[in-house]
Coordinates of all heavy atoms in Angstrom, one line a residue:
Chain A
D189 N 3.9 13.7 18.1 CA 3.7 15.1 17.8 C 2.7 15.8 18.8 O 2.8 17.0 19.0 CB 3.1 15.3 16.4 CG 4.2 15.0 15.3 OD1 5.4 15.2 15.7 OD2 3.9 14.7 14.2
Chain B
V109 N 1.4 24.8 15.6 CA 1.9 24.0 14.5 C 0.8 23.0 14.1 O 0.0 22.5 14.9 CB 3.1 23.1 15.0 CG1 3.9 22.8 13.8 CG2 3.8 23.8 16.1
V110 N 0.8 22.7 12.8 CA 0.1 21.5 12.3 C 1.2 20.6 11.7 O 2.1 21.0 11.0 CB -0.8 21.9 11.1 CG1 -1.5 20.7 10.5 CG2 -1.9 22.9 11.6
F111 N 1.1 19.3 12.1 CA 2.2 18.4 11.8 C 1.8 17.6 10.5 O 0.7 17.6 10.1 CB 2.5 17.4 12.9 CG 3.0 18.1 14.1 CD1 2.2 18.5 15.2 CD2 4.4 18.5 14.2 CE1 2.7 19.1 16.3 CE2 4.9 19.1 15.3 CZ 4.0 19.4 16.3
Q112 N 2.8 16.9 10.1 CA 2.7 16.1 8.8 C 1.8 14.9 9.0 O 0.9 14.6 8.2 CB 4.1 15.6 8.4 CG 4.1 14.5 7.3 CD 5.5 14.2 6.9 OE1 6.4 14.8 7.3 NE2 5.6 13.2 6.0
E113 N 1.9 14.2 10.2 CA 1.3 12.9 10.4 C 0.1 13.0 11.3 O 0.3 13.1 12.5 CB 2.3 11.9 10.9 CG 1.9 10.5 11.1 CD 1.2 9.9 9.9 OE1 1.9 9.6 8.9 OE2 0.0 9.8 9.9
P114 N -1.1 13.1 10.8 CA -2.2 13.3 11.7 C -2.5 12.2 12.7 O -3.1 12.3 13.7 CB -3.4 13.4 10.7 CG -3.0 12.8 9.5 CD -1.5 12.9 9.4
L115 N -1.8 11.0 12.4 CA -2.0 9.9 13.4 C -1.3 10.2 14.7 O -1.8 9.9 15.8 CB -1.4 8.6 12.8 CG -2.3 7.6 12.2 CD1 -1.6 6.4 11.7 CD2 -3.4 7.2 13.3
T116 N -0.1 10.7 14.6 CA 0.7 11.0 15.8 C 0.5 12.4 16.4 O 0.9 12.7 17.5 CB 2.2 10.8 15.6 OG1 2.6 11.7 14.7 CG2 2.5 9.4 15.2
A117 N -0.3 13.2 15.6 CA -0.5 14.6 16.1 C -1.6 14.6 17.1 O -1.8 15.6 17.8 CB -0.8 15.5 14.9
L118 N -2.4 13.5 17.2 CA -3.5 13.5 18.1 C -3.3 12.4 19.1 O -2.8 11.3 18.8 CB -4.8 13.3 17.4 CG -5.2 14.3 16.4 CD1 -6.5 13.9 15.7 CD2 -5.4 15.7 17.0
L151 N -14.5 23.2 15.3 CA -14.7 22.0 14.3 C -15.5 22.5 13.1 O -15.3 22.0 12.0 CB -15.5 20.9 15.1 CG -14.6 20.1 16.1 CD1 -15.5 19.2 16.9 CD2 -13.6 19.3 15.3
V154 N -13.2 24.2 10.5 CA -12.4 23.3 9.6 C -13.4 22.5 8.7 O -13.0 21.4 8.2 CB -11.4 22.4 10.4 CG1 -10.4 23.3 11.0 CG2 -12.1 21.6 11.4
L156 N -15.9 20.5 9.3 CA -16.3 19.2 9.7 C -17.8 19.3 10.0 O -18.2 20.1 10.8 CB -15.6 18.7 10.9 CG -14.1 18.2 10.7 CD1 -13.4 18.0 11.9 CD2 -14.2 16.9 9.9
P167 N -9.3 9.5 17.9 CA -8.7 9.6 16.6 C -8.8 8.4 15.7 O -9.0 8.6 14.5 CB -7.2 9.9 17.0 CG -7.3 10.5 18.3 CD -8.5 9.9 19.0
L170 N -11.7 8.3 13.2 CA -11.8 9.3 12.2 C -10.9 8.9 11.0 O -9.9 8.2 11.2 CB -11.3 10.7 12.8 CG -12.0 11.2 14.0 CD1 -11.3 12.4 14.6 CD2 -13.4 11.5 13.7
S171 N -11.2 9.5 9.8 CA -10.4 9.2 8.7 C -9.2 10.2 8.7 O -9.1 11.1 9.5 CB -11.2 9.5 7.4 OG -11.4 10.9 7.3
G172 N -8.2 9.9 7.9 CA -7.0 10.7 7.8 C -7.3 12.2 7.6 O -6.7 13.0 8.3
G173 N -8.2 12.5 6.7 CA -8.5 13.9 6.4 C -9.2 14.5 7.6 O -8.9 15.6 7.9
Q174 N -10.1 13.7 8.2 CA -10.8 14.3 9.4 C -9.8 14.6 10.5 O -9.9 15.6 11.2 CB -11.8 13.3 9.9 CG -13.1 13.2 9.0 CD -14.0 12.1 9.4 OE1 -13.6 11.1 9.9 NE2 -15.3 12.4 9.3
R175 N -8.8 13.6 10.7 CA -7.9 13.8 11.8 C -7.1 15.1 11.5 O -6.8 15.9 12.4 CB -6.9 12.7 11.8 CG -7.4 11.5 12.6 CD -6.3 10.5 12.7 NE -6.9 9.2 12.6 CZ -6.5 8.2 11.7 NH1 -5.5 8.4 11.0 NH2 -7.1 7.1 11.7
Q176 N -6.7 15.3 10.3 CA -5.9 16.5 10.0 C -6.7 17.8 10.2 O -6.2 18.8 10.7 CB -5.3 16.4 8.5 CG -4.2 17.4 8.3 CD -3.0 17.2 9.1 OE1 -3.0 17.3 10.4 NE2 -1.8 17.0 8.5
R177 N -8.0 17.7 9.9 CA -8.9 18.8 10.2 C -9.0 19.1 11.7 O -9.0 20.3 12.1 CB -10.3 18.6 9.6 CG -10.3 18.8 8.1 CD -11.6 18.2 7.5 NE -11.5 18.0 6.1 CZ -11.9 19.0 5.2 NH1 -12.5 20.1 5.7 NH2 -11.8 18.8 3.9
V178 N -9.1 18.0 12.4 CA -9.1 18.2 13.9 C -7.8 18.8 14.4 O -7.8 19.8 15.2 CB -9.3 16.9 14.6 CG1 -9.1 17.0 16.1 CG2 -10.7 16.3 14.3
A179 N -6.7 18.4 13.8 CA -5.4 18.9 14.2 C -5.3 20.4 13.8 O -4.8 21.2 14.6 CB -4.2 18.2 13.5
I180 N -5.9 20.8 12.7 CA -5.9 22.2 12.3 C -6.8 23.0 13.2 O -6.4 24.1 13.7 CB -6.3 22.3 10.8 CG1 -5.2 21.7 9.9 CG2 -6.6 23.8 10.5 CD1 -5.6 21.7 8.4
A181 N -7.9 22.4 13.6 CA -8.9 23.1 14.5 C -8.2 23.3 15.8 O -8.3 24.4 16.4 CB -10.1 22.2 14.7
M182 N -7.4 22.3 16.3 CA -6.6 22.5 17.5 C -5.7 23.7 17.4 O -5.5 24.4 18.3 CB -5.8 21.2 17.8 CG -6.2 20.4 19.0 SD -5.3 18.9 18.9 CE -3.9 19.3 19.9
A183 N -5.0 23.7 16.3 CA -3.9 24.7 16.1 C -4.5 26.1 16.0 O -3.9 27.1 16.4 CB -3.1 24.4 14.9
V184 N -5.6 26.3 15.3 CA -6.1 27.6 15.0 C -7.2 28.1 16.0 O -7.5 29.3 16.1 CB -6.7 27.8 13.6 CG1 -5.6 27.5 12.6 CG2 -7.9 26.9 13.4
A193 N 2.9 25.2 9.4 CA 2.3 24.0 8.8 C 3.5 23.2 8.3 O 4.1 23.5 7.3 CB 1.3 24.3 7.7
D194 N 3.8 22.1 9.0 CA 5.0 21.3 8.6 C 4.5 20.1 7.8 O 4.1 19.1 8.3 CB 5.7 20.8 9.9 CG 7.0 20.1 9.6 OD1 7.3 20.0 8.4 OD2 7.7 19.8 10.6
E195 N 4.6 20.3 6.5 CA 4.2 19.2 5.5 C 2.8 18.7 5.9 O 2.6 17.5 6.0 CB 5.2 18.1 5.5 CG 6.6 18.5 5.3 CD 7.2 17.8 4.1 OE1 6.4 17.3 3.2 OE2 8.4 17.8 3.9
P196 N 1.8 19.6 6.0 CA 0.5 19.2 6.5 C -0.3 18.3 5.6 O -1.2 17.7 6.0 CB -0.2 20.5 6.7 CG 0.3 21.4 5.7 CD 1.8 21.0 5.6
T197 N 0.1 18.2 4.3 CA -0.7 17.4 3.4 C 0.1 16.2 2.8 O -0.5 15.4 2.1 CB -1.1 18.3 2.1 OG1 0.1 18.7 1.5 CG2 -1.9 19.4 2.6
T198 N 1.3 16.0 3.3 CA 2.1 14.9 2.7 C 1.6 13.5 3.0 O 1.7 12.6 2.1 CB 3.6 15.0 3.3 OG1 4.0 16.4 3.1 CG2 4.5 14.1 2.6
A199 N 0.9 13.4 4.1 CA 0.4 12.0 4.5 C -1.0 11.8 3.9 O -1.5 10.7 4.2 CB 0.5 11.8 6.0
L200 N -1.5 12.7 3.2 CA -2.9 12.6 2.7 C -3.0 12.3 1.2 O -2.0 12.6 0.5 CB -3.7 13.9 3.0 CG -3.6 14.3 4.5 CD1 -4.2 15.7 4.6 CD2 -4.3 13.4 5.4
V204 N -7.9 14.8 -0.8 CA -7.9 15.4 0.5 C -6.9 16.5 0.7 O -7.2 17.5 1.2 CB -7.7 14.3 1.6 CG1 -7.8 14.9 3.0 CG2 -8.7 13.2 1.4
Q205 N -5.7 16.3 0.0 CA -4.7 17.3 0.0 C -5.2 18.6 -0.4 O -5.0 19.7 0.2 CB -3.6 16.8 -1.0 CG -2.2 16.8 -0.4 CD -1.2 16.3 -1.4 OE1 -1.2 16.8 -2.5 NE2 -0.4 15.4 -1.0
E207 N -8.2 19.7 -0.6 CA -9.2 20.3 0.4 C -8.5 20.9 1.6 O -8.9 22.0 2.0 CB -10.2 19.2 0.9 CG -11.1 18.6 -0.1 CD -11.8 17.4 0.4 OE1 -11.9 17.2 1.6 OE2 -12.3 16.6 -0.4
I208 N -7.5 20.2 2.1 CA -6.8 20.8 3.3 C -6.1 22.1 2.9 O -6.1 23.0 3.7 CB -5.8 19.7 3.8 CG1 -6.6 18.5 4.3 CG2 -4.9 20.3 4.9 CD1 -7.3 18.7 5.6
L209 N -5.5 22.1 1.7 CA -4.8 23.3 1.3 C -5.8 24.5 1.2 O -5.5 25.6 1.7 CB -4.1 23.1 0.0 CG -2.9 22.2 0.0 CD1 -2.3 22.0 -1.4 CD2 -1.8 22.8 0.9
L211 N -8.5 24.8 2.8 CA -9.0 25.1 4.1 C -7.9 26.0 4.8 O -8.3 27.0 5.4 CB -9.1 23.8 4.9 CG -9.5 23.9 6.4 CD1 -11.0 24.4 6.4 CD2 -9.4 22.6 7.1
L212 N -6.7 25.6 4.8 CA -5.6 26.4 5.4 C -5.6 27.8 4.8 O -5.6 28.8 5.5 CB -4.2 25.8 5.1 CG -3.8 24.6 6.0 CD1 -2.5 24.0 5.6 CD2 -3.7 25.1 7.5
I215 N -8.6 29.8 6.1 CA -8.5 30.1 7.6 C -7.5 31.3 7.8 O -7.8 32.2 8.5 CB -8.1 28.9 8.4 CG1 -9.3 28.0 8.5 CG2 -7.6 29.3 9.8 CD1 -9.0 26.7 9.2

Side-chain angles (χ1 to χ4, degrees):
Chain A
D189 288 338
Chain B
V109 206
V110 175
F111 294 99
Q112 170 175 351
E113 181 52 72
L115 258 182
T116 60
L118 300 176
L151 285 169
V154 292
L156 282 167
L170 303 172
S171 72
Q174 285 173 326
R175 277 187 218 128
Q176 195 61 302
R177 283 167 195 266
V178 169
I180 292 172
M182 244 172 98
V184 298
D194 189 355
E195 304 239 21
T197 61
T198 309
L200 306 170
V204 182
Q205 232 179 51
E207 290 170 22
I208 296 287
L209 289 177
L211 180 69
L212 279 174
I215 286 177

